[in-house]
Amino acid sequence: VNTTVPSASPSLPSASLRAIRAARVQELEESDGLGLRSFGVAASRARSLAGLGLAAVPIGIGLSFVLPVVGSVAATGLATTIAAYTLAWELLDPYFDKANMGFEEQEKLVWSNRFVLTAFALPFAAALAVPLVGPLSVAVAQGAVAELVWRGVVTQTAEE
């Protein structure tokens, strides 16, 4: 449909939106990134995500003891959800670096988009458990997160 009737495509950005995106791409390409500051941002992110994971461990263990069969399934789902949230944040790291976003800005943006980002990364996080297929899916995830940023899911919140 896009080739035959380009105006029929709902995902085709308008000319003004294309100009704004082109300016944003130009801005990101010219950015030097966070530089050495990125080490502190990465350490803060690791501390935050480790805290989230450690907070979930007692919940998962408690579910497994209280509900023997259902609890282990729920604990696995909780672990996969946390892995998806972590993976989404890590996949956005190159964008955050070029956008010169500090840890607090990243945390605010990721938290405000937590449902979208977790749902986006959930299939990739589950695929990581499959030998050989999992590591190959990371390349697809990196391309897909670029599309997610391009579509404005993340950048709309950043501009507000």
Side-chain angles (χ1 to χ4, degrees):
V1 171
N2 292 341
T3 306
T4 313
V5 186
S7 62
S9 174
S11 65
L12 189 66
S14 65
S16 62
L17 186 57
R18 264 185 290 203
I20 292 169
R21 287 182 176 168
R24 181 68 176 152
V25 168
Q26 181 74 22
E27 178 185 329
L28 290 173
E29 285 177 348
E30 292 172 355
S31 172
D32 291 332
L34 292 173
L36 291 177
R37 194 172 135 220
S38 66
F39 290 114
V41 171
S44 296
R45 182 176 55 245
R47 187 175 54 245
S48 174
L49 293 173
L52 179 64
L54 288 175
V57 169
I59 296 170
I61 291 172
L63 284 173
S64 296
F65 281 122
V66 173
L67 306 167
V69 176
V70 178
S72 60
V73 173
T76 302
L78 178 65
T80 305
T81 302
I82 290 172
Y85 181 77
T86 303
L87 179 63
W89 199 341
E90 288 297 326
L91 287 171
L92 287 168
D93 186 47
Y95 170 74
F96 290 149
D97 183 55
K98 290 301 260 183
N100 292 316
M101 293 179 73
F103 172 72
E104 293 79 18
E105 295 169 298
Q106 290 181 23
E107 188 174 42
K108 181 181 174 188
L109 188 111
V110 171
W111 187 252
S112 65
N113 289 301
R114 65 188 174 275
F115 297 116
V116 172
L117 293 174
T118 302
F120 161 78
L122 203 56
F124 299 112
L128 283 172
V130 179
L132 198 63
V133 173
L136 295 175
S137 70
V138 173
V140 175
Q142 288 173 336
V145 81
E147 181 69 19
L148 188 70
V149 170
W150 180 255
R151 294 279 177 192
V153 171
V154 174
T155 54
Q156 287 173 357
T157 309
E159 293 169 358
E160 291 175 356

